[in-house]
Amino acid sequence: MSVHRLTELPELPARGRLIVSEGVLPPTRAAIQASSTNSRPDEGLVLWLGRNIENTSLVLACAIPRTTHDWGRVHVDEAAVGTAASAARAHGLGVIAQVHSHPGKDTRHSDGDDELVLLPYESMFSLVIADYGLGSVHPAGGAGLHQFQDGRWIKVANHDAFIVVPHLLGGGL
């Protein structure tokens, strides 16, 4: 299944990196996969919380906002994003990325994805996971990493812009 795309989606290198704590991935995947209506999978959405430090976006936690969803779309309203942003600020964090799923293998932003991200800002990241969240979260494995550059969304061409930091136990450094 291909996404609805009438406008050009440039593919360019990321400006900076998206570094994600490994502990954020299981609740992200679980929340996205839990999105369903009448026992049918639907697209899901999670907000990633963290800090932007120079050209690095560091993801430390996730928020699971109230969404409305149906086959082929997921929507989060301003109030739900505001609630997530307030919770993030209480811990010195902000909403720094959005993650959502698509029904098929096509993980490019659709035209609707470009328009519906609330309050995009320069260098913000958006990650799309295939197969209702069953696909890989890594761009090298098929996830679509996007970034807001120069007032528009682009698909990130370099997979090394996405880094997962593993849990290190027992002095593993």
Side-chain angles (χ1 to χ4, degrees):
M1 172 176 197
S2 289
V3 298
H4 178 70
R5 185 115 208 138
L6 296 176
T7 59
E8 178 189 6
L9 180 63
E11 192 164 327
L12 299 166
R15 294 180 182 161
R17 300 176 298 172
L18 179 63
I19 299 177
V20 182
S21 171
E22 182 179 49
V24 173
L25 298 179
T28 295
R29 185 180 293 283
I32 287 176
Q33 290 175 3
S35 296
S36 64
T37 305
N38 299 326
S39 302
R40 184 187 71 215
D42 287 328
E43 294 186 25
L45 182 138
V46 171
L47 300 173
W48 277 353
L49 312 177
R51 299 288 302 263
N52 290 314
I53 303 167
E54 295 182 12
N55 65 348
T56 298
S57 296
L58 181 61
V59 178
L60 301 171
C62 65
I64 304 163
R66 182 185 68 256
T67 60
T68 56
H69 45 89
D70 197 344
W71 187 88
R73 70 169 199 88
V74 62
H75 180 72
V76 60
D77 65 30
E78 292 178 32
V81 173
T83 298
S86 292
R89 278 193 303 278
H91 298 284
L93 306 175
V95 175
I96 63 167
Q98 173 186 286
V99 182
H100 77 279
S101 62
H102 278 177
K105 303 278 185 216
D106 191 344
T107 57
R108 294 175 300 150
H109 259 201
S110 68
D111 287 332
D113 293 338
D114 288 354
E115 296 166 12
L116 292 174
V117 174
L118 293 175
L119 303 173
Y121 61 86
E122 192 64 24
S123 297
M124 179 184 186
F125 285 99
S126 173
L127 184 71
V128 180
I129 303 172
D131 295 323
Y132 299 112
L134 295 173
S136 176
V137 297
H138 300 277
L145 184 61
H146 303 81
Q147 189 177 44
F148 198 69
Q149 293 183 3
D150 300 322
R152 66 179 178 174
W153 287 100
I154 62 99
K155 187 168 189 310
V156 172
N158 55 319
H159 296 172
D160 62 347
F162 183 86
I163 300 165
V164 175
V165 178
H167 292 287
L168 300 174
L169 301 175
L173 292 175

